[in-house]
Amino acid sequence: MKRSPRIAILGAGPAGSALAALLARQGIQSVVFDDEKRPALLVGESLIPAIVAILQRMGIEDRVAAIAQHKPGASFIHHCGTRMDFNFMSVKGRLPTYAYNVPRPAFDDLIKDFAKEQGVTFVKHRAHLVAHPGGKPELELDAAALAAGGWSDGDKPALVVDASGRSRTSAKLLGIQAETGPRKDTAHFAHFTGIEHPYPQGQIAIMFHEWGWSWRIPLPDRLSFGVVMNPKSLADFGANGEERLDKILATDSVLAPLGKGRQRVSDVYTYTNYQLLSDRAHGPGWVSIGDAFGFVDPMLSPGVFLALDAAESLSAIFAKHGAALLDSPDKLTKELAGYEKRQRAWHEAWHELISYFYDGRIVAFYERGMQLKADYPGWFSNMMESVSSRTLAMMATGASTMSAWNRGYLRSCSKWLLNRDRAKELALP
């Protein structure tokens, strides 16, 4: 008699589909519930080199490259005039020296199709959970979901994986609280043609404005343009996302000349509150991954990486212990605690790094380095610039974001080298 699938995954985004594919490679059956409802555009179009390494391990980089725009680096432009250009060649030897900008949800569908090739079963059903929030917060699929997934006669999965994204199904059902970031920004974005992009092909551009920041992400046949605005500034640019994007592209001193021939080729999408981390990511028989656990500000594009890393980390537990782990609830819970600790550390490291960009320290640090080179030319200032640039690049690409040494280096430089008044002047509102 064929045994029912051991794992149920709620959600077919990158985290859920990648996890299912990786488990299938180990001979562990899962069922992925997918209601197939998702917007035409999603935040997370710009990838980082650390993702490329995961795609290579999965064996699907060539597929991604076929639908994506090659990304050589990123430029950061402050409205004061300071510009910082980063090329991923600086991480050579640690990570691929490039990344990709991907059309979503085509990227998600690619991973889903890869999982199907591995034999993963996808069920078009919005699975609901039943909570038992006693001393040990437990979750299980409701009767309809069990039937849709192929479980019968009282059988049920040994592990439920919440990959429901920002819906955060498990956390909301169990009343798990979350820590939110200090910012309450609103993001509007859409796709355009006809906007000039005077940077290396595929290079993304992040611009700091007096009201927040904007992104420009080149895709194969269009440009993704988005703004992240302090709520206090929203009314100054219109009553909705369409009006705000149009006014910014028409009036900004840098963007307006580039966007004279623009044509919007998509609807405008709005997102709010994307700095959040749940207080708990696992319990008896369940675990959350990707955005269902937490999401990070998109300033440095770490979201999809965190989703895929979560899938890879969770699958690695089963690679180490095998499917027998599902028959040992106490041991499984212990392993899930280790998984949660790792994911929480990733989130905290990214949050810390991104804070340098918001509070003006990164730009002030860069300006200070350029001034030192001008005032004291020679090997020492050149070496300091090289070390600082590589340290920042290694962190922003995912190569060493959690490195205690690198994080300590930035903290020390901020403490001893920065003009703090200048950093305040450069900070985002």
Side-chain angles (χ1 to χ4, degrees):
M1 180 177 177
K2 185 178 179 180
R3 190 172 190 179
S4 300
R6 309 300 313 281
I7 296 176
I9 300 174
L10 278 60
S17 293
L19 174 62
L22 293 170
L23 290 173
R25 283 182 168 180
Q26 301 173 39
I28 300 175
Q29 289 183 290
S30 66
V31 168
V32 181
F33 291 94
D34 179 17
D35 62 9
E36 299 184 359
K37 295 180 179 178
R38 57 177 62 87
L41 299 187
L42 293 166
V43 170
E45 298 164 314
S46 184
L47 308 184
I48 60 176
I51 293 180
V52 180
I54 297 177
L55 298 176
Q56 290 174 347
R57 290 192 289 271
M58 292 177 67
I60 59 173
E61 185 194 354
D62 58 337
R63 305 186 191 191
V64 174
I67 67 166
Q69 169 65 58
H70 184 273
K71 172 185 172 182
S75 294
F76 295 83
I77 308 97
H78 199 281
H79 63 79
C80 72
T82 299
R83 172 172 163 173
M84 304 178 293
D85 296 306
F86 295 96
N87 187 292
F88 294 149
M89 287 300 296
S90 57
V91 299
K92 187 175 183 179
R94 287 289 300 275
L95 284 176
T97 57
Y98 57 91
Y100 297 104
N101 300 323
V102 296
R104 303 275 305 270
F107 174 78
D108 299 35
D109 290 339
L110 185 154
I111 298 178
K112 180 178 176 180
D113 290 342
F114 174 68
K116 289 180 178 179
E117 293 173 12
Q118 309 308 307
V120 175
T121 298
F122 285 78
V123 177
K124 187 178 179 180
H125 180 83
R126 187 173 183 83
H128 294 283
L129 299 173
V130 178
H132 304 286
K136 292 183 177 180
E138 298 184 53
L139 288 173
E140 60 183 33
L141 295 176
D142 68 2
L146 288 171
W151 291 279
S152 59
D153 300 325
D155 196 11
K156 61 182 181 180
L159 179 65
V160 174
V161 180
D162 181 4
S164 62
R166 297 184 184 219
S167 298
R168 300 180 61 243
T169 302
S170 57
K172 291 179 179 177
L173 191 59
L174 290 170
I176 295 172
Q177 299 300 307
E179 179 182 355
T180 58
R183 303 189 65 85
K184 308 299 178 185
D185 296 329
T186 294
H188 301 300
F189 80 108
H191 286 177
F192 292 83
T193 58
I195 295 180
E196 297 179 29
H197 195 66
Y199 302 91
Q201 186 174 7
Q203 183 116 333
I204 69 165
I206 302 296
M207 186 169 181
F208 301 147
H209 304 266
E210 295 178 340
W211 41 260
W213 61 278
S214 66
W215 75 70
R216 282 167 280 167
I217 301 173
L219 296 169
D221 61 348
R222 58 190 59 194
L223 186 90
S224 174
F225 174 73
V227 299
V228 179
M229 306 186 72
N230 186 303
K232 295 179 180 179
S233 299
L234 291 174
D236 297 336
F237 291 90
N240 53 50
E242 289 85 350
E243 292 181 4
R244 290 163 188 156
L245 287 185
D246 285 343
K247 184 171 182 178
I248 289 167
L249 285 169
T251 62
D252 184 87
S253 61
V254 173
L255 297 173
L258 302 175
K260 290 180 179 179
R262 70 185 183 279
Q263 180 177 356
R264 180 160 57 84
V265 293
S266 77
D267 291 334
V268 175
Y269 288 81
T270 299
Y271 286 83
T272 57
N273 184 22
Y274 35 78
Q275 294 181 332
L276 181 146
L277 188 62
S278 296
D279 290 345
R280 188 179 180 91
H282 78 284
W286 69 272
V287 64
S288 59
I289 65 174
D291 283 359
F293 173 43
F295 32 92
V296 180
D297 190 286
M299 172 72 78
L300 299 179
S301 306
V304 178
F305 164 71
L306 288 170
L308 294 184
D309 179 81
E312 198 173 45
S313 297
L314 197 55
S315 70
I317 293 174
F318 292 98
K320 178 181 179 181
H321 297 282
L325 183 63
L326 295 167
D327 297 316
S328 179
D330 290 341
K331 188 174 182 179
L332 175 60
T333 298
K334 181 179 179 180
E335 291 295 332
L336 294 180
Y339 153 83
E340 177 177 338
K341 182 178 180 181
R342 172 185 164 83
Q343 295 306 308
R344 193 173 297 280
W346 267 121
H347 278 262
E348 291 172 353
W350 280 110
H351 276 296
E352 179 181 3
L353 178 59
I354 289 169
S355 71
Y356 284 83
F357 287 80
Y358 272 105
D359 64 19
R361 284 179 292 172
I362 278 297
V363 182
F365 186 30
Y366 177 82
E367 289 184 346
R368 177 63 171 159
M370 293 298 100
Q371 189 62 50
L372 285 174
K373 284 193 68 175
D375 293 343
Y376 306 101
W379 71 269
F380 181 76
S381 59
N382 289 336
M383 180 193 69
M384 287 295 296
E385 182 201 16
S386 176
V387 170
S388 298
S389 296
R390 180 170 170 79
T391 297
L392 184 57
M394 295 287 279
M395 296 178 74
T397 56
S400 61
T401 316
M402 284 198 289
S403 165
W405 190 95
N406 286 352
R407 295 167 77 178
Y409 178 82
L410 281 187
R411 291 169 190 161
S412 296
C413 290
S414 298
K415 182 177 181 180
W416 300 109
L417 296 179
L418 284 190
N419 180 328
R420 297 193 179 188
D421 290 336
R422 179 56 175 164
K424 291 179 180 178
E425 293 174 0
L426 296 167
L428 290 174

